[in-house]
Amino acid sequence: MPGTFEPLPGGGASVALDDVEISIIRSLAVQLLELIGPGPAEDTPADPLAELFAEGPSEPPSDPVLKRLFPDAYSDPEQTPGNPHEAAEQRAHSAEFRRYTENDLRAGKRENALAVINALNALTADEGGLAVLELTPAESRRWLGALNDLRLAIGSRLEITDEDDTDDFYRLPDEDPRKPMVMAYLWLGGLQETLVSTLMP
């Protein structure tokens, strides 16, 4: 899957994608949307203020992917608090922070995933089966956020905690059931890296 982002004159980025690549990204973005779930005011769309003032959850998600996408703000996974009082204080701060920020974070991730899906749905392939996606700088940033979330989600399922962990994945045999997910993870990483480079001055 050789598609890489290239800068556009005047800003933004473009990438040529084939049908398979478009299908993979769209499918992953749809799955991400389903995982993140609807907004808190989904049942009361007639009240525009309901979501604005709705409080979010105070406990971290149980799903490991959502935990990766919405980590605690006041805890260091590499460091255990020195005493029970400090641990309880960290949990309280994290719960308070999560209550007032997670809804907005989820909304932003939903918007990014939807932007990806809508952009892919608008593409038309040429006779060779390739479609050229062109993004404005603002759209590029939305795509960058979505690509990062997709890689975090896949990395969580693969139990990748460090980028160095990916070295072994390059040597996976074809019959390994993780191989398709690994290939998608590595490919999305290449897309993400080249998209970042187009946003650099």
Side-chain angles (χ1 to χ4, degrees):
M1 297 179 182
T4 56
F5 280 98
E6 296 180 1
L8 286 173
S14 69
V15 63
L17 299 169
D18 62 30
D19 288 341
V20 173
E21 293 169 330
I22 291 169
S23 176
I24 290 172
I25 298 173
R26 184 192 291 117
S27 174
L28 291 172
V30 167
Q31 290 177 56
L32 182 64
L33 267 180
E34 291 171 352
L35 185 64
I36 292 170
E42 194 77 11
D43 297 332
T44 55
D47 184 359
L49 295 178
E51 187 156 357
L52 181 63
F53 291 105
E55 288 188 4
S58 57
E59 294 297 321
S62 57
D63 186 289
V65 173
L66 290 176
K67 253 185 198 173
R68 191 82 165 268
L69 292 172
F70 305 103
D72 276 338
Y74 291 91
S75 62
D76 183 354
E78 302 296 322
Q79 191 172 5
T80 304
N83 59 63
H85 175 72
E86 188 179 338
E89 199 171 65
Q90 275 189 1
R91 284 194 298 272
H93 288 316
S94 290
E96 190 74 2
F97 187 82
R98 183 179 295 278
R99 183 177 297 119
Y100 295 108
T101 61
E102 187 167 311
N103 283 345
D104 286 342
L105 290 173
R106 283 181 183 258
K109 292 180 186 298
R110 272 194 299 274
E111 288 168 9
N112 290 343
L114 276 171
V116 167
I117 294 167
N118 291 336
L120 294 176
N121 287 342
L123 290 180
T124 304
D126 61 20
E127 291 181 2
L130 284 178
V132 177
L133 172 70
E134 294 190 352
L135 303 173
T136 66
E139 290 168 338
S140 293
R141 287 188 286 275
R142 284 208 174 281
W143 267 73
L144 192 57
L147 289 173
N148 185 62
D149 288 342
L150 291 176
R151 289 191 80 237
L152 284 174
I154 295 172
S156 178
R157 292 290 188 233
L158 291 170
E159 299 182 350
I160 296 173
T161 56
D162 190 299
E163 281 298 319
D164 292 340
D165 294 346
T166 60
D167 291 346
D168 291 339
F169 286 129
Y170 284 102
R171 297 184 287 276
L172 280 180
D174 289 342
E175 60 271 15
D176 192 301
R178 297 171 297 169
K179 188 70 176 271
M181 201 182 296
V182 167
M183 295 302 291
Y185 179 83
L186 297 174
W187 172 58
L188 290 174
L191 281 178
Q192 185 180 11
E193 188 176 337
T194 58
L195 184 53
V196 168
S197 69
T198 69
L199 292 169
M200 291 180 175

